[in-house]
Amino acid sequence: LLLLLSVLASGQLAQGLQVRDLEERVARLTGTRHAVAVSNGTAALTAALKSLRLPAGSEVVTSPFTFVATVNACLLADLKVRFADIALTDFNLDPLAAEESINPTTRALLPVHLFGQTADMESLAPLAASRQLEIVEDAAQSLMASSGGRMAGAWGTGCFSLYATKNVTSGEGGLITTNDESRAAWLRAYRNQGMVLRYQYEMIGENLRMSELQAALVQPQLDIYEESVKVRADNARILREGLTDIEWLILPSERKGRRHVWHQFTVLVTEDGPITRNELAHGLRERGVGTGIYYPKIHSDYPHIRKDSRVAIGSTPNAKNAARNCLSLPVHPGVSLQDIEHIVEAVRDIERLA
């Protein structure tokens, strides 16, 4: 509160000390040279893709199983999209499927670090390098997740969201990380109407500025972020222990060499089990347990995307499976041990009655 009051008293409500401090802090946390604050996560993705300045008709390979902002950003950046399948072990872009999707017009890979765990960047990054492809990371849900000791956002151009549902939030807001100094300079000008110095316009830009109040809201959360992630990880561990012998549930896990920040605890209901995903969600809701279905359809199931000539659909059976059968259980720091015990007992009660 004192920090917010000091911002109000300063009279500078946009692009001031709080924004600069946040940018420097996130750059340090992600192990990158630069972080550029913007107005929201979608703005981060769109600006990052535009900063690549790819030739007209360039194609981006990405996942169809994610929030629609990922594909929207590609299309808003005047790029084509090709969907590659995911791996059901982590719900992220499958490196083999991504490799099969690359063609002469492909210029970038856009892995989504979904639910708090990075994609298999130790496979995707060498693939991109071997094909001379850019990497843009949709790390909206995965601040300080890592793969092979390298943080999300440090493998290419990273994009983060500070939306209300994220592990760290300012209500709205986003950040772009990069090690490329010229790209960072381009992004800072682009977010500020193409202005480098006051009334010195050097490009067509937008107003994507983050407010000082948004930046100030984030700072105290970063102070306790490691503790918050530890609570999430502990909750995830206890949930796993409680549900581990339920054969019709495939539980999420922290993949070898990666750090999961547990934005969501997402289970996969097997299709040959005694109940469906929707039945499980309904049963839990009746027993007072909130759940989330992220995401009920893959992008190519939406007519406006399926019919868009800029989008190549491809075969993505794992993504379709995830959309049909995924369910996220509460794992956030507000969940108590008693709550977790209730969740486990509720699932087992539903199983007994199936």
Side-chain angles (χ1 to χ4, degrees):
L1 180 60
L2 290 175
L3 191 55
L4 293 175
L5 290 173
S6 70
V7 169
L8 291 171
S10 74
Q12 183 166 7
L13 301 184
Q15 293 299 133
L17 289 175
Q18 292 298 323
V19 171
R20 286 198 293 274
D21 286 350
L22 176 61
E23 290 176 331
E24 291 172 1
R25 192 169 186 180
V26 169
R28 288 195 301 272
L29 289 173
T30 57
T32 57
R33 293 178 61 192
H34 305 280
V36 180
V38 292
S39 52
N40 56 65
T42 308
L45 282 165
T46 306
L49 288 162
K50 288 184 175 181
S51 77
L52 304 180
R53 288 173 275 186
L54 298 174
S58 294
E59 194 172 84
V60 178
V61 172
T62 192
S63 166
F65 183 66
T66 176
F67 186 55
V68 74
T70 309
V71 66
N72 282 347
C74 294
L75 299 178
L76 288 168
D78 295 323
L79 299 170
K80 294 182 177 181
V81 176
R82 184 173 296 273
F83 293 129
D85 208 1
I86 64 170
L88 290 177
T89 52
D90 61 5
F91 305 114
N92 290 322
L93 193 63
D94 177 22
L96 291 177
E99 184 173 15
E100 291 173 358
S101 299
I102 295 169
N103 62 75
T105 64
T106 307
R107 293 291 180 274
L109 297 182
L110 202 172
V112 183
H113 304 323
L114 206 63
F115 300 142
Q117 183 161 220
T118 67
D120 181 3
M121 296 308 298
E122 290 186 277
S123 298
L124 288 169
L127 171 63
S130 69
R131 304 297 182 89
Q132 297 182 306
L133 304 178
E134 298 275 5
I135 293 176
V136 174
E137 302 168 67
D138 183 341
Q141 301 178 358
S142 298
L143 179 64
M144 293 189 69
S146 65
S147 178
R150 187 185 299 186
M151 291 291 181
W155 294 87
T157 304
C159 302
F160 296 88
S161 171
L162 301 175
Y163 182 62
T165 59
K166 301 302 185 287
N167 288 12
V168 172
T169 177
S170 58
E172 285 285 5
L175 290 144
I176 306 165
T177 54
T178 179
N179 288 317
D180 187 320
E181 188 166 348
S182 64
R183 183 165 297 163
W186 188 96
L187 287 163
R188 290 191 179 102
Y190 183 78
R191 74 173 173 191
N192 195 30
Q193 301 287 13
M195 188 165 57
V196 177
L197 299 173
R198 189 167 177 80
Y199 299 127
Q200 181 181 328
Y201 308 114
E202 297 193 359
M203 58 194 288
I204 301 297
E206 297 184 66
N207 174 8
L208 304 179
R209 293 184 293 266
M210 177 184 284
S211 76
E212 285 286 279
L213 290 170
Q214 287 173 305
L217 278 171
V218 177
Q219 302 283 11
Q221 296 173 68
L222 290 179
D223 291 340
I224 60 170
Y225 187 58
E226 282 292 346
E227 179 184 342
S228 172
V229 171
K230 183 180 184 303
V231 173
R232 287 175 178 272
D234 286 344
N235 287 343
R237 175 181 54 78
I238 299 168
L239 273 172
R240 280 186 55 83
E241 290 171 354
L243 300 172
T244 190
D245 61 340
I246 298 180
E247 294 182 355
W248 48 273
L249 276 187
I250 299 174
L251 304 178
S253 64
E254 188 173 65
R255 309 305 296 170
K256 184 178 180 181
R258 297 187 233 174
R259 186 203 190 193
H260 203 315
V261 295
W262 298 103
H263 176 62
Q264 299 290 344
F265 184 94
T266 303
V267 303
L268 187 68
V269 179
T270 63
E271 296 197 319
D272 58 354
I275 60 172
T276 67
R277 183 270 308 276
N278 291 344
E279 289 169 341
L280 176 61
H282 177 73
L284 287 171
R285 187 165 57 249
E286 287 187 325
R287 291 161 175 79
V289 177
T291 62
I293 295 176
Y294 313 102
Y295 302 89
K297 296 181 180 181
I298 61 173
H299 294 322
S300 53
D301 286 338
Y302 293 93
H304 75 284
I305 294 177
R306 187 169 60 250
K307 295 175 183 177
D308 196 311
S309 62
R310 298 168 296 174
V311 178
I313 303 302
S315 176
T316 57
N318 287 344
K320 281 185 173 290
N321 185 338
R324 283 193 306 269
N325 299 308
C326 272
L327 188 68
S328 294
L329 306 179
V331 74
H332 57 82
V335 177
S336 68
L337 178 58
Q338 184 178 6
D339 292 331
I340 295 175
E341 290 172 347
H342 176 62
I343 294 167
V344 171
E345 180 53 37
V347 173
R348 293 190 176 280
D349 187 45
I350 293 166
E351 181 182 40
R352 280 194 293 270
L353 296 174

